[in-house]
Amino acid sequence: MQMNLKIVLVEPLYQGNVGSVARAMKNFGFFDLVLVNPCRLEVEARAMSSHAWDLLENATVVSSLSDAIADSSIVIGTSGVSGSKFDEHLRVPAFSPREVKESLSGIDGNVAVLFGREDQGFNREELRLCDMIMTIPTSEVYPIMNLSHAVAVVLYEMSGMTTGELPLADAFDVRLLHTHFAEVLDDINYPEHKKEKTKLMLKRIFGRACLLEREVQTLRGIMRRIQKNLR
Amino acid sequence: MQMNLKIVLVEPLYQGNVGSVARAMKNFGFFDLVLVNPCRLEVEARAMSSHAWDLLENATVVSSLSDAIADSSIVIGTSGVSGSKFDEHLRVPAFSPREVKESLSGIDGNVAVLFGREDQGFNREELRLCDMIMTIPTSEVYPIMNLSHAVAVVLYEMSGMTTGELPLADAFDVRLLHTHFAEVLDDINYPEHKKEKTKLMLKRIFGRACLLEREVQTLRGIMRRIQKNLR
């Protein structure tokens, strides 16, 4: 069975790109498209989607990224910026599509791959919601890819990836784990100015680990035990 | 050093696609674009090329595919049709972009990757000029990719491929080898109705073998010796 993967476009600006994304998805056998506050989709979107207009018509439109990824165990943000100079915890480490594919092999669960605005990409809040950051290796001379090209390259890599045996943790349980960690940081009087960065780092670590259901339960068990002993 | 690879678009119909192809090329660090009888390239082509308009302006325009590939040691045709049912020798075997990359690893020479018309692809004569056929693995539901998406996927795979130590045979010498083989077929009274298919099969075999200079010389030596002994 093909991996349960959805494509989320965050505030796409150009309807032609949205149509082209739908076409690339159908080319590689992916059908679940979610649009967060998209531009108007009219004749050009449909023309560019070609024989994938059904996919475009069935796309889910939502008004916030949180809604788009509510049921996703793993949220992967695609960033064109390597960002080695800034936002270290936000964008680093960035994985290639092939590395992401390898991380996901053998598991079963809901995966969301996010693509940002054509001009600005993601804002910091959106990056915070990502478990993993993926960057397509491009030339330094001109690294900014067309949105639908980026989707095509990612799905080319992801296609043929089959569902494995190991169930990914539910999105809900992963959120509970992070809440739990945040509580422990409070309990141990972790320095306030480091909290946000540390929480983000934990999100990145657990994100790229693609936590399984039983692993999340075990980690939450440890957190509970720590809290109990602290009190 | 990046592999010496050029992209040849055969009679592209839509200028937006040509511009998008230029952009994808620059994204992955490829700069040599050849256009065979292209459509008119005006405002839309330039808009879609974005920051790769220099590449578009420097594209070589020719009137025949033969001119486009005159200096290419290996000619790779990209076909969206798996064609298992027809034109067996023309389209089979088809390699994935990754397999093509593996065949080319370690060699040094001029490689041309060809993309056909948006609606009709290549005609039979054009397919005959190809040493290898490459097909991007797509969904059977909707296998026809947008032209620039196909280029982006292929160049994503080919990028980072460095020149090796082993010099590919010159295009000129490879042509002599094929002429030589054709002569031998004549000399041995090879059945007329099988000749074309057999020549094409040889082209495919030597094409996917990515013959080196010294190998072509050795093969031509064998041909000469056969001819000498036949006469």
Side-chain angles (χ1 to χ4, degrees), chain B:
Chain B
M1 215 175 78
Q2 173 93 279
M3 171 72 60
N4 195 359
L5 185 150
K6 70 178 166 191
I7 295 295
V8 181
L9 303 185
V10 177
E11 304 196 340
L13 300 169
Y14 306 113
Q15 55 168 315
N17 282 342
V18 180
S20 289
V21 165
R23 178 170 179 178
M25 288 178 65
K26 197 164 176 180
N27 286 155
F28 290 111
F30 295 92
F31 298 92
D32 197 357
L33 175 61
V34 182
L35 305 170
V36 182
N37 295 326
C39 53
R40 291 184 73 151
L41 301 174
E42 292 164 332
V43 180
E44 199 194 337
R46 183 148 173 160
M48 293 306 287
S49 73
S50 195
H51 292 276
W53 58 268
D54 55 330
L55 208 151
L56 199 62
E57 280 194 354
N58 293 322
T60 307
V61 177
V62 296
S63 59
S64 86
L65 178 53
S66 309
D67 290 346
I69 59 174
D71 65 345
S72 303
S73 293
I74 297 284
V75 177
I76 301 166
T78 311
S79 167
V81 188
S82 74
S84 51
K85 291 190 203 131
F86 64 104
D87 288 345
E88 203 177 302
H89 289 278
L90 274 175
R91 294 181 194 267
V92 173
F95 295 93
S96 73
R98 195 155 310 163
E99 289 166 335
V100 170
K101 182 183 188 174
E102 282 158 13
S103 313
L104 296 178
S105 73
I107 63 173
D108 177 16
N110 294 329
V111 176
V113 182
L114 278 44
F115 293 84
R117 299 158 192 81
E118 287 93 333
D119 55 348
Q120 302 279 337
F122 298 114
N123 63 37
R124 293 175 63 93
E125 273 320 299
E126 290 156 355
L127 283 171
R128 263 174 219 285
L129 293 172
C130 298
D131 295 303
M132 296 175 91
I133 301 296
M134 169 162 63
T135 298
I136 298 172
T138 44
S139 160
E140 285 174 21
V141 176
Y142 183 29
I144 310 300
M145 291 182 73
N146 170 284
L147 172 59
S148 69
H149 287 178
V151 173
V153 164
V154 167
L155 294 184
Y156 160 73
E157 194 67 76
M158 301 295 175
S159 70
M161 198 168 63
T162 51
T163 294
E165 302 278 297
L166 301 168
L168 266 186
D170 270 1
F172 181 75
D173 290 326
V174 176
R175 277 198 296 275
L176 283 181
L177 173 67
H178 285 294
T179 309
H180 227 137
F181 258 117
E183 285 173 18
V184 170
L185 292 181
D186 290 341
D187 292 347
I188 60 173
N189 298 314
Y190 195 80
E192 204 59 45
H193 68 284
K194 289 187 183 170
K195 262 186 193 164
E196 280 310 305
K197 275 198 174 176
T198 301
K199 282 195 265 183
L200 191 57
M201 193 199 68
L202 287 168
K203 191 163 172 59
R204 289 285 180 276
I205 292 172
F206 292 142
R208 67 176 188 266
C210 299
L211 292 179
L212 303 179
E213 194 55 55
R214 61 165 189 269
E215 294 169 333
V216 170
Q217 298 313 334
T218 304
L219 287 169
R220 288 191 57 213
I222 296 170
M223 292 299 111
R224 269 194 301 275
R225 193 170 280 267
I226 290 172
Q227 289 188 306
K228 204 172 153 191
N229 278 273
L230 284 170
R231 279 155 192 177

Side-chain angles (χ1 to χ4, degrees), chain A residues 86-167:
Chain A
F86 64 105
D87 286 348
E88 201 175 305
H89 290 279
L90 273 174
R91 294 181 193 268
V92 173
F95 295 93
S96 72
R98 195 155 311 162
E99 288 167 333
V100 170
K101 182 184 189 172
E102 282 159 14
S103 316
L104 296 178
S105 73
I107 61 172
D108 177 16
N110 295 329
V111 176
V113 182
L114 278 45
F115 293 84
R117 298 155 192 82
E118 288 93 332
D119 55 350
Q120 302 278 337
F122 297 114
N123 62 37
R124 294 176 62 96
E125 271 321 298
E126 289 156 355
L127 283 171
R128 264 174 218 283
L129 293 173
C130 299
D131 295 303
M132 297 175 91
I133 301 295
M134 169 161 62
T135 297
I136 298 172
T138 44
S139 161
E140 284 174 22
V141 176
Y142 184 28
I144 310 300
M145 292 182 72
N146 169 285
L147 171 60
S148 69
H149 287 177
V151 174
V153 163
V154 167
L155 294 184
Y156 159 74
E157 194 65 77
M158 301 295 175
S159 70
M161 199 167 64
T162 51
T163 294
E165 302 278 298
L166 301 169

